[in-house]
Amino acid sequence: MRLLFTVGGSQAAVFGVAPLAAAARNAGHEILLAADEPLMAAAQSVGLPAVCITPERMRYGQDAMTAAVRLDALLELTRHWAPDLVVGGLSHVPRVLAARLKVPYVRHIWHIAPMARRDRTAVAELQPELERLNVTELPAPDLFIDLCPPSLRPPDAPAGRAMRWVPRVRQSRIEPWMYTRPEGRRRVLVTAGTRNLVLDTPGSSLRRLVDELTGTGAEVLIAALPEAAERFGPELGDVRIGWIPLDVAAPTCDLAVHHGGATTAMTLINAGVPQLIVPDNGYGKAVAEAVSGFGAAVMVDRHRPEAGQDPDEVIAAGCREVLSDPRYAERARALAAEAAALPTPAEVLREVEALAAR
């Protein structure tokens, strides 16, 4: 059968859908990934056949602004390559497409942030496109696949099919230091994902954090874009900075400091790594609140510091707390065990196949 996967937003959306898409391909199905131009390189890096539908990146909450262009591009694609099923994510545009094509629709997301209100607004804003395409109603998804461990799901999350997160990120040449722990030292990983060059840019705060961590005797890895390594590497001292495959390095770490991105957080959860999260937006804050609420992380909100407190010192103190208190590592391992017990993409694929065969 033919499965059309659609993503928009950041590279995290590509990495999130890649395991199910790969499972479908390994099972002998034809797949295509419809994405925006800025995501083409990420799709190619994880081996997904990708088709560009728009030149600019779609952002969650902008369905109404880009719906007509995206729908027309998807309809043109499906005129030549007719899918038996459509898989979408945060955007509801693929849901409209599936209704127009009269094929099953699967929503595939990491439901950790409350989104019911935003979903209702997005669906209402798509009404003009429904009328233009003569779609009388927008049915609920035939299957909702949720990558979020049950313990982290928000109270208003809809019933869904839980699926195990399988890390899938862009790789680079693997060196032994990436998969081995340093002898006699703890290891701390710092990353801001791919949205920013480094955590809390510019680099002054990063230098202070690095000094604090190395002062405790820890080895510091900074997973960052190549341009960040070129810009900040010379001033950061004895650290490894650059593109580091997170899925390879994470199991060797005692702590990870990051921005709250979905791919970053779930890869660390998968590896059982305690976290300190400095959210850079509302979604990252929801991630931080969920993981810290479970006891596997500390959240530091730089945008709302307490009176008289130095935000940089709060971050450093949080790192010291996580490294010194074994309860964070224990909770992180418990969360990893919960995630590992969820159905694999290959198992969930059977339900997807059953939908398309109806």
Side-chain angles (χ1 to χ4, degrees):
M1 72 181 68
R2 287 180 167 181
L3 283 71
L4 177 63
F5 291 80
T6 64
V7 296
S10 72
Q11 295 183 44
V14 176
F15 299 147
V17 80
L20 183 62
R25 202 176 191 189
N26 291 342
H29 302 300
E30 293 183 62
I31 69 164
L32 278 183
L33 177 71
D36 310 320
E37 179 60 41
L39 303 183
M40 289 293 104
Q44 293 163 13
S45 74
V46 292
L48 296 182
V51 176
C52 177
I53 55 171
T54 58
E56 297 181 356
R57 176 175 296 162
M58 186 280 295
R59 300 185 185 279
Y60 184 42
Q62 295 182 342
D63 271 11
M65 296 171 58
T66 60
V69 172
R70 295 175 66 78
L71 277 168
D72 286 345
L74 287 167
L75 286 168
E76 177 63 17
L77 168 62
T78 56
R79 190 169 69 85
H80 302 283
W81 196 88
D84 298 296
L85 180 142
V86 174
V87 181
L90 290 173
S91 170
H92 290 279
V93 168
R95 184 175 163 192
V96 176
L97 173 71
R100 169 68 175 181
L101 298 177
K102 294 182 172 58
V103 299
Y105 172 65
V106 174
R107 195 178 198 196
H108 176 302
I109 58 174
W110 188 39
H111 198 301
I112 197 170
M115 59 182 67
R117 182 178 178 182
R118 184 175 289 185
D119 279 350
R120 288 193 297 270
T121 300
V123 169
E125 291 175 343
L126 288 173
Q127 191 60 38
E129 298 308 315
L130 296 177
E131 295 174 359
R132 178 172 72 94
L133 298 176
N134 295 317
V135 176
T136 57
E137 64 175 348
L138 194 56
D142 295 278
L143 178 64
F144 172 57
I145 298 174
D146 189 0
L147 296 169
C148 186
S151 293
L152 303 186
R153 300 187 87 214
D156 68 342
R161 185 66 163 103
M163 187 174 82
R164 181 178 180 178
W165 172 274
V166 179
R168 185 66 64 92
V169 298
R170 181 185 294 114
Q171 295 296 321
S172 64
R173 185 186 182 99
I174 302 300
E175 303 291 343
W177 63 265
M178 295 179 181
Y179 56 82
T180 56
R181 287 180 175 270
E183 291 188 15
R185 301 178 70 186
R186 290 175 294 186
R187 172 176 278 183
V188 180
L189 183 138
V190 181
T191 184
T194 57
R195 287 199 300 268
N196 300 310
L197 286 183
V198 290
L199 191 70
D200 187 43
T201 53
S204 57
S205 296
L206 181 63
R207 176 56 191 266
R208 182 170 172 183
L209 175 61
V210 168
D211 288 344
E212 289 278 357
L213 292 170
T214 55
T216 69
E219 179 190 44
V220 178
L221 309 181
I222 301 177
L225 296 170
E227 50 266 40
E230 182 178 351
R231 178 176 172 183
F232 298 110
E235 63 187 59
L236 290 177
D238 184 23
V239 302
R240 296 185 186 273
I241 179 171
W243 185 266
I244 300 172
L246 204 58
D247 56 329
V248 174
T252 72
C253 297
D254 301 284
L255 167 65
V257 183
H258 65 96
H259 61 302
T263 296
T264 301
M266 276 304 297
T267 302
L268 295 167
I269 288 171
N270 183 75
V273 181
Q275 306 169 40
L276 185 139
I277 305 175
V278 188
D280 64 353
N281 58 25
Y283 186 88
K285 186 174 182 181
V287 172
E289 289 174 342
V291 183
S292 62
F294 188 84
V298 167
M299 180 182 79
V300 176
D301 190 347
R302 292 191 63 95
H303 302 291
R304 294 186 178 180
E306 295 185 20
Q309 288 189 320
D310 178 355
D312 291 336
E313 173 53 32
V314 173
I315 293 174
C319 290
R320 292 192 293 269
E321 178 183 346
V322 174
L323 289 171
S324 63
D325 189 338
R327 289 177 295 182
Y328 290 100
E330 291 169 3
R331 295 300 286 165
R333 289 192 294 269
L335 191 55
E338 178 184 308
L342 298 176
T344 66
E347 292 173 308
V348 175
L349 176 65
R350 299 191 192 109
E351 297 182 34
V352 175
E353 293 170 330
L355 281 177
R358 289 191 312 197

